[in-house]
Amino acid sequence: MDGEGSDRALPVDPGLTRYPPRADARGAVRFVSVDAGDRVEATEAAADPVTPVARLGSRLLRLVLGAPLRATAIAHERMRKLIALPVLSADALSSVAYGPEALLAVLVLGGGAGLALALPVAAVIALLMLAVGISYRQTIRAYPHGGGSYVVAGTNLGRTAGLLAAGGLMTDYVLTVAISVASGLAAVTSAVPSLGPYVLPLGAGLLALLAAANLRGVRQAGTLFAAPTYVFILAIALLVVAGLWQAVADGPSRAPAAPAHATESVGLLLVLRAFASGSTAMTGIETISNAVPAFRPPQARNARTTLTVMVALLIALFAGTMALVAVEDVAPLPGETVLSQLAHGSFGDGPLYAATQAATAAVLLLAANTAFNGFPRLLYLMARDRQAPQLFLHVGDRLAYSHGIVGLGVAAGAVFCAGGGRVDRLIPLYAVGVFLAFTLCQAGMVVHWRRERGAHWRRSIAANTLGGALSGVVFAVAAATKFAAGAWVALAAVAAIVAGSGAIRRHYDAVARAVAPAPEDAPEPAEQLVVVPVAALDRVSLRALAYAAALDRPVLAVHVCGDEAAAERFVADWRALGDRVPLEVVLSPYRAVVVPFVRYVDALHRQRPALTVTVVLGELVVDHPLRRLLHDDREPRMRRGLRSQRGVVVTTVPFHFPG
Amino acid sequence: MDGEGSDRALPVDPGLTRYPPRADARGAVRFVSVDAGDRVEATEAAADPVTPVARLGSRLLRLVLGAPLRATAIAHERMRKLIALPVLSADALSSVAYGPEALLAVLVLGGGAGLALALPVAAVIALLMLAVGISYRQTIRAYPHGGGSYVVAGTNLGRTAGLLAAGGLMTDYVLTVAISVASGLAAVTSAVPSLGPYVLPLGAGLLALLAAANLRGVRQAGTLFAAPTYVFILAIALLVVAGLWQAVADGPSRAPAAPAHATESVGLLLVLRAFASGSTAMTGIETISNAVPAFRPPQARNARTTLTVMVALLIALFAGTMALVAVEDVAPLPGETVLSQLAHGSFGDGPLYAATQAATAAVLLLAANTAFNGFPRLLYLMARDRQAPQLFLHVGDRLAYSHGIVGLGVAAGAVFCAGGGRVDRLIPLYAVGVFLAFTLCQAGMVVHWRRERGAHWRRSIAANTLGGALSGVVFAVAAATKFAAGAWVALAAVAAIVAGSGAIRRHYDAVARAVAPAPEDAPEPAEQLVVVPVAALDRVSLRALAYAAALDRPVLAVHVCGDEAAAERFVADWRALGDRVPLEVVLSPYRAVVVPFVRYVDALHRQRPALTVTVVLGELVVDHPLRRLLHDDREPRMRRGLRSQRGVVVTTVPFHFPG
């Protein structure tokens, strides 16, 4: 394939068919020739960092994060249903740990009359879960390659709708992590109140741990974190059954708790606020539809089955918990979660209570973990559409999207700390983002079905219209009733994300237009000048001068010095050496060297703007990293200064020490 | 001068005689032609940083540190005697604030019998001051260009002696700063005990302030800090006179303090330890001989006069203080300094007491400031001899040696905090460094006079022999009696400095040998190959390819991609574009690009080690600093990786956006 078009023979064999000519010095063969010598393929050894320091760093990192995977290994990073269910539904199911409590926390303001409305409001939320679940089943069918709200809304409703959905999802991911960690710690401190004062450092530690685990990759996280969800489901089911059984056995003999003191009148507003807060119990319901490609084939069918099981479990756990709350007359307390109160009621203080609290904390951690899978995936999709920085396209060592993971950890940590690690302070920010994304996704599905008109399209439209309308109502209710309490922060974040992503896309578009090949591009710059800064007449500079002279273009040597006496001395030495290249001395009475040189090159260039100036820098490269500190950084500084100059090419000729 | 030797005419005028061709765009003329067009001289505008971010940073810095000075302005940074005296003798005079107290703190361990020996020990120290002072007068005469202990010992006794002196001086400078700040704060907390718990943060703040002030340059510091020394001299003189006057007037009526309880028997060891501790009162006596060039001409005579005045003042203040201590029967207390007790005795609690404490604190700060002048100067001298990193040769914006100033601030801060901000913990480290430098300096002077045999050489030898021998005794006593209490730290620091400086010199020597021009150097590399990594077929890469093709050498384009399918697509596009340059595709199944490319270049180079490989990198340079974050850092990473490869020249062809 190669070389036919070239009129100069290459002095080496690019196919490396004669490589390694002898056994590689380190025993590792770095390249293999494939495809009859047409291609060279890098082995793992070729990706080993070049310098010893970088190599050490990479080994330490690999110790923590595991070995890298080949690109072709991506396909194997799939989850079985039995693993996918706990991993992907932890987010939704764990919402049972704070959703009912958030609902009750509003209703209790209305006293006994308010709490009496808990069951009707919960029933509406359970119906909403069903509707949204059915709605998302349609999404999986339509987007078997993973249609998150961002993709569905963007494809069907346009770019801005997609970005709005993305903004909603991003705030949702950040809050899922922050609230799950806060709620998990609340489960722990309910059981061990002495840990109460350490919630902030504990939360920060957990977030760091989660980020590190996710940098290792999705498969390990899946296997590691599968059990807690099953234990949690079992624990809550047992708790509900045991509690209801006791209530039936004992009859209505249990003394009702002291009736709560009403601080607000029970009106529509209170009910709507309770509804908005309780709706946080369904956050995470969309996770499976985003993660269809993570399933084993047949992916769509497996995902739909898993979604159905998850929604059934969610409704069962939520309804059961609310029923028990009503029977046991439980109200939120400052130091203990509602779930902990229920567990105390059902199990007393024994090991079953402890197990329930532990499982709750574990499943909430797992929910936070789900967000660590989803957030980088969303950023990757956005970066692919050039609506997020390109660095989110980088796949890390273990196919995990490392920048997104780190970014989510930092953002969630900030939100967690800003909320003082308390669930009740963070809940008001939560629902708006989630339901904005739900609404846009379902609306996008409606448009999709109208365009496609595939099998059962009318039924699908009906399902998605119902789901979208209900989600829209929740979004509007949450935004309106919780605005001052925190929803404005989430809405502002969404607006900032939409605006920022738009600006990023416009920048990338402008760059793409600028770098697109154009036929009028001159194939070769017409005029050339080579400039060599010479600090001293040593081999470093002489090597640079020799390289410059060999370029067979006009060469100018430049010496920058502080005063006339030094200039005279340098010129005398220069003449003694042969004076084969013209020399210009630039006096710099302010003793700076780098910037006056850069300015001087600029001044030369202004004389003929069409000129291409090649600056040849001789650079002493000291191999030992500590000894490097003993030498100045003049060359890197010159390179940085020259980088900003148009029409200036910089060539670095290294002189290695030791040679 | 230029161009005669060149066989190619330059396309520009290097003398810039036609520059500026029109009014400079920003109105600032950056270069002027001098010397009939033979030289170009940079104006201040030429030193303005190139990029907007760097420009902003430089403006902010200049706001704090003042405008830069021309190299020719250095000569004007000289001090009059009336300014030099307070600035340069603050170090020595302020020692009166802690020296007597350190002496008493040892003697008090021997109870009343110990304290009775205070006056005889003090008399010996005063004689020592006289001898060392006379000794240093000889040094100024012999080294009018500034002979610090480092220069004198190094010139006359050899390199190792010079480094030992330098090590002693460096520990001395660091401890001077730490102890002066600690002692100054003790003066403040004696008057305002409620500030006691905040000594550490206050000290850190003062150190930062001192460093910032010194980064502004010596002249400003001189004018700003001249007054406190005079006020201090006046305050101590008044305190002594008033106290002695009262004692004479009242007779021996004052009740003697409760006799101190002896915890050690009074023996030779106790006396020697007291002597070593009290000798810290003469630290700083060498400052003037180090700083002769900072005086106005005639420098040597002015410096000698100033030294004589200073030693006289030092002996007077020290003797007066000790006399008053003896008369008033004062002993060290935990919360209040001895000087504060004396001031209370002489002045009561009124404004005179407050003024004395304020002046003491101020002169101690000034003493710390002296070290900020001396330390960078010493490092500069060592760097000039290639015994310290070259970066200490850099002169900062205001002729101050910024790296040394910052280094001293950090080291003194560490020592200050390690000693808990307490003078008594730091004193044992102090004397060894000082007296090691004194001894070596005087010994060097003896050798100097024996070689020179100028006027009065026998008298000079006698003076220096006496001074050196006495200093040597103090050094030995301090090292022996204070070893376990902290002197070992100072000795270890000296040893580390000597060893480190030797290693640095050996490295620079090896580099100098390596870069020295040799006649056998080949003027031009024989074989050349140009390699162009092509990530995508855009104008960035095409411009790099065009530049490479114009070099008129064999060119190889290299594309790194993850899998065969992507490789096929790229090759098809490449062929469509003309296929004028041979292309090699390197498959990188581990998705890394930078390192496999660097390794591939290495593999090519191994085929022919004599080959010079020029890698031409096309680089998208985004001018806006924030937007730069939206692009990856592949080119800088490639450059860093290729830097470590021998025989590889890297050329960066920029493509600017916006263009």
Side-chain angles (χ1 to χ4, degrees):
Chain A
M1 162 187 76
D2 315 317
E4 306 95 348
S6 166
D7 40 7
R8 293 188 74 131
L10 291 175
V12 292
D13 166 31
L16 300 183
T17 45
R18 296 192 299 271
Y19 179 89
R22 57 190 179 283
D24 192 276
R26 287 165 181 278
V29 176
R30 295 214 178 88
F31 294 97
V32 289
S33 294
V34 293
D35 207 352
D38 244 26
R39 296 267 191 281
V40 174
E41 184 171 315
T43 64
E44 197 183 330
D48 232 26
V50 179
T51 59
V53 175
R55 209 143 48 218
L56 184 70
S58 137
R59 296 235 166 102
L60 287 176
L61 209 66
R62 195 167 289 183
L63 212 68
V64 180
L65 303 181
L69 293 174
R70 286 175 70 103
T72 48
I74 297 181
H76 300 300
E77 286 280 353
R78 308 287 188 189
M79 291 188 280
R80 287 184 298 149
K81 270 182 286 184
L82 274 175
I83 296 292
L85 177 70
V87 168
L88 296 176
S89 49
D91 188 2
L93 297 183
S94 68
S95 310
V96 171
Y98 46 81
E101 176 147 12
L103 194 163
L104 295 171
V106 177
L107 287 180
V108 80
L109 299 173
L115 287 176
L117 291 169
L119 276 190
V121 173
V124 173
I125 292 174
L127 283 175
L128 196 58
M129 289 171 176
L130 191 65
V132 172
I134 292 171
S135 197
Y136 268 112
R137 273 179 63 92
Q138 316 304 321
T139 309
I140 293 173
R141 187 152 63 88
Y143 288 89
H145 302 301
S149 305
Y150 167 67
V151 173
V152 175
T155 311
N156 296 299
L157 303 175
R159 197 170 259 164
T160 309
L163 284 182
L164 275 169
L169 279 174
M170 281 169 76
T171 57
D172 175 30
Y173 282 130
V174 172
L175 285 163
T176 296
V177 174
I179 290 180
S180 295
V181 167
S183 183
L185 286 172
V188 172
T189 53
S190 293
V192 191
S194 61
L195 287 176
Y198 307 110
V199 159
L200 283 186
L202 284 173
L206 280 176
L207 284 170
L209 218 70
L210 276 171
N214 275 280
L215 287 169
R216 277 194 77 106
V218 69
R219 182 72 166 283
Q220 279 73 359
T223 316
L224 183 67
F225 290 153
T229 311
Y230 289 123
V231 177
F232 176 75
I233 295 169
L234 208 72
I236 301 297
L238 210 65
L239 180 156
V240 170
V241 170
L244 292 178
W245 178 264
Q246 276 173 24
V248 169
D250 300 359
S253 65
R254 291 187 78 214
H261 183 67
T263 55
E264 288 188 31
S265 62
V266 179
L268 181 64
L269 189 60
L270 188 77
V271 173
L272 286 178
R273 272 164 56 205
F275 173 67
S277 290
S279 300
T280 55
M282 53 188 295
T283 54
I285 207 167
E286 80 291 358
T287 311
I288 288 177
S289 74
N290 292 345
V292 182
F295 281 85
R296 292 213 176 149
Q299 294 158 344
R301 206 171 68 200
N302 283 337
R304 278 165 70 97
T305 312
T306 310
L307 176 63
T308 307
V309 174
M310 181 187 85
V311 171
L313 282 169
L314 175 62
I315 293 173
L317 294 183
F318 179 72
T321 308
M322 287 307 298
L324 196 58
V325 163
V327 168
E328 298 209 351
D329 226 353
V330 163
L333 291 176
E336 189 177 7
T337 63
V338 166
L339 215 56
S340 167
Q341 295 179 53
L342 294 179
H344 268 308
S346 295
F347 303 139
D349 287 338
L352 270 178
Y353 168 76
T356 306
Q357 292 305 104
T360 307
V363 81
L364 281 159
L365 269 189
L366 191 41
N369 187 61
T370 314
F372 276 97
N373 290 328
F375 187 78
R377 196 180 286 128
L378 173 62
L379 276 171
Y380 173 81
L381 291 172
M382 291 173 73
R384 218 180 46 183
D385 296 345
R386 307 204 291 195
Q387 311 206 94
Q390 282 177 343
L391 64 89
F392 293 113
L393 285 174
H394 288 197
V395 279
D397 237 6
R398 284 201 63 77
L399 309 182
Y401 310 117
S402 39
H403 289 105
I405 289 170
V406 172
L408 176 60
V410 170
V415 169
F416 176 81
C417 291
R422 281 171 54 184
V423 179
D424 57 327
R425 287 212 199 142
L426 296 171
I427 283 281
L429 284 73
Y430 201 13
V432 280
V434 187
F435 283 92
L436 176 60
F438 283 5
T439 309
L440 290 165
C441 180
Q442 305 313 327
M445 287 309 300
V446 173
V447 173
H448 171 85
W449 296 124
R450 284 174 65 96
R451 281 193 195 142
E452 295 276 317
R453 297 183 186 243
H456 320 298
W457 67 278
R458 286 174 204 280
R459 217 164 61 196
S460 298
I461 283 190
N464 286 131
T465 305
L466 182 67
L470 290 175
S471 300
V473 168
V474 180
F475 168 71
V477 167
T481 61
K482 301 278 180 184
F483 188 83
W488 68 271
V489 177
L491 290 170
V494 170
I497 289 163
V498 171
S501 300
I504 287 170
R505 197 194 57 247
R506 283 191 296 279
H507 169 74
Y508 283 136
D509 286 349
V511 171
R513 281 193 300 274
V515 302
E520 74 272 17
D521 282 351
E524 185 184 346
E527 277 193 303
Q528 295 262 5
L529 170 68
V530 179
V531 177
V532 187
V534 181
L537 288 175
D538 54 21
R539 285 171 79 187
V540 181
S541 296
L542 293 179
R543 186 173 287 187
L545 279 168
Y547 184 90
L551 290 175
D552 207 27
R553 284 169 165 73
V555 178
L556 173 68
V558 175
H559 178 68
V560 181
C561 66
D563 54 54
E564 185 58 36
E568 296 286 359
R569 282 196 303 276
F570 186 84
V571 169
D573 290 349
W574 180 263
R575 290 209 171 123
L577 218 84
D579 198 18
R580 271 168 300 207
V581 170
L583 170 74
E584 185 66 32
V585 175
V586 174
L587 295 179
S588 173
Y590 295 86
R591 291 170 314 282
V593 170
V594 172
V595 176
F597 175 74
V598 173
R599 295 289 191 194
Y600 178 73
V601 170
D602 178 48
L604 292 179
H605 196 256
R606 275 160 190 258
Q607 294 183 12
R608 291 199 182 212
L611 202 67
T612 295
V613 179
T614 299
V615 175
V616 177
L617 294 174
E619 180 169 16
L620 178 71
V621 178
V622 176
D623 289 349
H624 194 287
L626 265 180
R627 292 192 181 139
R628 209 171 292 153
L629 298 177
L630 296 176
H631 296 271
D632 65 16
D633 56 346
R634 186 176 286 180
E635 282 74 27
R637 279 161 60 221
M638 279 195 178
R639 210 155 43 214
R640 277 198 297 275
L642 292 166
R643 224 170 98 98
S644 63
Q645 305 295 309
R646 273 147 180 83
V648 175
V649 171
V650 178
T651 295
T652 307
V653 179
F655 183 95
H656 285 270
F657 177 85
Chain B
M1 164 187 75
D2 316 318
E4 305 94 351
S6 164
D7 41 6
R8 291 191 74 130
L10 291 174
V12 291
D13 165 32
L16 300 183
T17 44
R18 295 193 299 273
Y19 180 89
R22 56 188 179 283
D24 192 276
R26 286 167 182 277
V29 175
R30 295 213 179 88
F31 294 96
V32 289
S33 294
V34 292
D35 208 353
D38 244 28
R39 297 266 191 280
V40 173
E41 184 171 316
T43 64
E44 198 184 330
D48 232 25
V50 179
T51 59
V53 175
R55 210 142 48 216
L56 184 69
S58 137
R59 295 234 168 104
L60 287 176
L61 211 65
R62 194 166 289 182
L63 212 67
V64 180
L65 304 180
L69 293 174
R70 286 175 72 101
T72 48
I74 297 181
H76 300 300
E77 286 281 349
R78 308 286 189 190
M79 290 189 281
R80 287 184 298 148
K81 271 181 286 182
L82 274 176
I83 296 292
L85 178 68
V87 168
L88 296 176
S89 50
D91 188 1
L93 297 183
S94 69
S95 310
V96 172
Y98 47 80
E101 175 146 15
L103 194 162
L104 295 172
V106 177
L107 288 180
V108 80
L109 300 173
L115 286 176
L117 290 169
L119 276 188
V121 172
V124 174
I125 292 175
L127 283 176
L128 197 60
M129 287 171 176
L130 191 65
V132 171
I134 292 171
S135 197
Y136 268 112
R137 274 180 62 93
Q138 315 304 318
T139 310
I140 293 173
R141 187 151 63 87
Y143 288 88
H145 301 301
S149 305
Y150 167 68
V151 173
V152 175
T155 311
N156 296 299
L157 303 175
R159 199 171 259 164
T160 310
L163 284 182
L164 276 169
L169 280 174
M170 281 168 76
T171 56
D172 175 29
Y173 283 129
V174 172
L175 285 162
T176 296
V177 174
I179 290 180
S180 297
V181 168
S183 182
L185 286 172
V188 172
T189 54
S190 293
V192 191
S194 61
L195 287 176
Y198 307 109
V199 161
L200 284 185
L202 285 173
L206 280 176
L207 284 170
L209 218 70
L210 277 171
N214 274 280
L215 288 170
R216 276 195 78 107
V218 69
R219 182 74 166 283
Q220 279 70 0
T223 316
L224 184 66
F225 290 153
T229 311
Y230 288 123
V231 178
F232 176 74
I233 295 169
L234 207 72
I236 302 296
L238 208 65
L239 180 156
V240 171
V241 171
L244 292 178
W245 178 265
Q246 274 173 26
V248 171
D250 300 359
S253 65
R254 289 187 79 211
H261 183 68
T263 54
E264 288 188 31
S265 63
V266 180
L268 182 63
L269 189 61
L270 189 78
V271 172
L272 286 179
R273 272 164 56 206
F275 173 67
S277 290
S279 300
T280 56
M282 52 187 296
T283 53
I285 207 166
E286 80 292 356
T287 312
I288 288 176
S289 73
N290 293 347
V292 183
F295 281 84
R296 294 214 176 148
Q299 295 158 342
R301 206 172 66 199
N302 284 337
R304 278 165 70 99
T305 312
T306 310
L307 176 63
T308 307
V309 174
M310 182 187 85
V311 172
L313 282 169
L314 175 60
I315 294 174
L317 294 183
F318 179 71
T321 309
M322 287 307 299
L324 195 58
V325 162
V327 168
E328 300 210 350
D329 228 353
V330 163
L333 292 176
E336 188 176 7
T337 64
V338 166
L339 215 55
S340 167
Q341 295 178 54
L342 294 179
H344 268 309
S346 296
F347 303 141
D349 287 339
L352 271 177
Y353 167 77
T356 305
Q357 293 307 103
T360 307
V363 81
L364 281 159
L365 268 188
L366 191 41
N369 187 60
T370 314
F372 275 97
N373 290 329
F375 187 79
R377 196 180 285 129
L378 173 62
L379 276 171
Y380 173 80
L381 292 172
M382 292 174 73
R384 216 180 47 184
D385 296 345
R386 307 203 292 195
Q387 311 207 96
Q390 282 176 344
L391 64 90
F392 292 113
L393 285 174
H394 287 197
V395 278
D397 238 6
R398 284 201 62 77
L399 310 182
Y401 310 119
S402 39
H403 289 104
I405 289 169
V406 173
L408 176 60
V410 171
V415 169
F416 176 82
C417 292
R422 281 171 52 184
V423 179
D424 58 326
R425 288 211 198 142
L426 296 171
I427 283 282
L429 285 73
Y430 202 12
V432 281
V434 187
F435 282 93
L436 175 59
F438 283 5
T439 310
L440 290 165
C441 180
Q442 305 314 326
M445 288 308 302
V446 172
V447 173
H448 171 85
W449 296 123
R450 284 174 64 96
R451 282 193 193 140
E452 295 274 319
R453 297 183 186 243
H456 320 299
W457 67 279
R458 285 173 204 280
R459 218 166 58 195
S460 298
I461 283 191
N464 285 133
T465 307
L466 182 67
L470 290 176
S471 301
V473 168
V474 181
F475 168 71
V477 168
T481 61
K482 301 279 180 181
F483 189 82
W488 69 270
V489 176
L491 290 171
V494 171
I497 290 163
V498 171
S501 298
I504 287 170
R505 197 194 56 248
R506 283 192 296 280
H507 169 74
Y508 281 137
D509 286 349
V511 170
R513 280 193 301 275
V515 302
E520 73 272 17
D521 281 351
E524 185 185 346
E527 275 192 306
Q528 296 263 5
L529 171 68
V530 179
V531 177
V532 187
V534 181
L537 288 175
D538 53 22
R539 284 171 79 186
V540 182
S541 296
L542 293 179
R543 186 174 286 188
L545 280 167
Y547 184 89
L551 290 175
D552 206 29
R553 285 167 163 73
V555 178
L556 173 68
V558 175
H559 179 68
V560 182
C561 66
D563 56 52
E564 184 58 36
E568 296 287 359
R569 281 196 304 274
F570 186 83
V571 168
D573 290 349
W574 180 262
R575 290 208 171 123
L577 218 83
D579 199 18
R580 272 168 298 205
V581 171
L583 170 73
E584 185 66 32
V585 175
V586 174
L587 296 179
S588 173
Y590 295 87
R591 290 169 315 280
V593 170
V594 172
V595 177
F597 175 75
V598 173
R599 296 287 193 198
Y600 178 74
V601 170
D602 178 48
L604 292 179
H605 196 256
R606 274 160 190 257
Q607 293 184 14
R608 294 199 179 212
L611 202 66
T612 295
V613 178
T614 299
V615 174
V616 178
L617 295 174
E619 180 169 16
L620 178 72
V621 178
V622 176
D623 290 348
H624 195 287
L626 266 179
R627 292 191 180 140
R628 209 170 292 152
L629 299 176
L630 296 176
H631 297 270
D632 65 16
D633 55 345
R634 185 176 286 179
E635 282 73 27
R637 279 162 60 220
M638 280 196 178
R639 210 155 42 214
R640 277 198 297 275
L642 292 167
R643 223 170 99 98
S644 63
Q645 305 293 311
R646 273 149 181 80
V648 176
V649 171
V650 178
T651 295
T652 307
V653 180
F655 183 95
H656 285 269
F657 177 83

